[in-house]
Amino acid sequence: PRSTLPSGACPLRHSLSSQPLSFLSQIHRTFQKRRQLSLPANDKRLLMALFRKSITPLTCAKEAMNRMFSTSAAREALQKMSRVRVVDNSSLGNTPYHRPPKCIHVYTKNGIGKVGDKILLAIKGQKKKALIVGQRMPGPHMTPKFDSNNVVLIEDNGNPTGTRIKVPIPTSLRQMEGDYSKVLAIAQKFV
């Protein structure tokens, strides 16, 4: 089998790029041939990971590779050094800066922030408190998942710095304990 490959080509990637077969049948055939081929260690791990994941059949191997290997950050709850997006219209959150705002402290016992928790941000060389109003990680049942970790800047007494929130915020903030009435008052849309 190695003689039919172009010089320097990886056998696994070469077999995954053939067009007519579905993706799983290509993997199955490659897996059956793996004893005949001398696959690099990375490709053996890739093959085993694909079998463990039980991927639905896809028509194109390229789509499956894009599904398996995401270039975006892991979808987790907010913790230290998480990048966030300021979604209110405060002047501090909207003027461009060469570094994105990052969480430097989470005011919870376990250090992991969910929707409704307060965090401390490093934004433009300053420390500011913020309230989490959306997160990328899926939360409890029927709570929305956002494309970014959204926060609203607040002052030390809990008043929001801005006058409007530009994105929809989850309605679950209404039922949570704590004083979110001022943040809910400046919100325009709810999800």
Side-chain angles (χ1 to χ4, degrees):
R2 200 173 266 282
S3 61
T4 60
L5 296 175
S7 63
C10 173
L12 176 62
R13 291 199 181 100
H14 180 73
S15 65
L16 292 179
S17 63
S18 61
Q19 295 288 335
L21 296 173
S22 73
F23 181 63
L24 281 181
S25 61
Q26 290 177 31
I27 291 175
H28 184 67
R29 281 191 343 160
T30 306
F31 191 73
Q32 288 175 343
K33 293 180 189 176
R34 77 176 156 83
R35 292 180 196 264
Q36 301 167 0
L37 302 173
S38 58
L39 292 176
N42 290 342
D43 288 350
K44 285 182 184 176
R45 277 189 240 121
L46 167 70
L47 196 56
M48 295 307 292
L50 290 174
F51 267 108
R52 275 188 244 118
K53 289 282 185 179
S54 67
I55 301 174
T56 58
L58 297 171
T59 56
C60 180
K62 190 173 185 181
E63 289 178 22
M65 289 302 204
N66 289 341
R67 258 180 96 188
M68 286 294 297
F69 304 106
S70 174
T71 56
S72 62
R75 292 187 175 151
E76 297 177 350
L78 266 80
Q79 56 191 1
K80 284 186 180 181
M81 300 307 290
S82 294
R83 282 187 235 168
V84 296
R85 179 177 150 210
V86 178
V87 294
D88 61 4
N89 65 347
S90 60
S91 60
L92 187 63
N94 286 325
T95 49
Y97 193 65
H98 63 279
R99 285 189 185 176
K102 286 189 179 180
C103 171
I104 56 174
H105 184 72
V106 182
Y107 295 109
T108 59
K109 289 181 182 178
N110 59 2
I112 294 175
K114 308 279 186 190
V115 173
D117 291 337
K118 292 182 182 178
I119 62 173
L120 186 65
L121 288 183
I123 179 168
K124 297 184 185 174
Q126 301 177 26
K127 294 179 186 178
K128 290 289 178 183
K129 287 187 179 179
L131 179 72
I132 302 171
V133 294
Q135 65 181 20
R136 294 179 64 176
M137 179 179 145
H141 185 64
M142 296 299 291
T143 56
K145 183 178 98 171
F146 293 89
D147 290 339
S148 60
N149 294 319
N150 300 335
V151 297
V152 173
L153 295 178
I154 57 174
E155 296 168 2
D156 291 333
N157 58 5
N159 293 335
T161 307
T163 57
R164 287 279 173 245
I165 297 177
K166 301 179 286 189
V167 299
I169 64 171
T171 54
S172 58
L173 275 176
R174 290 179 176 170
Q175 288 89 27
M176 289 185 178
E177 293 180 16
D179 189 25
Y180 303 116
S181 58
K182 294 182 180 177
V183 174
L184 293 170
I186 65 170
Q188 294 177 326
K189 297 177 188 171
F190 294 92
V191 178

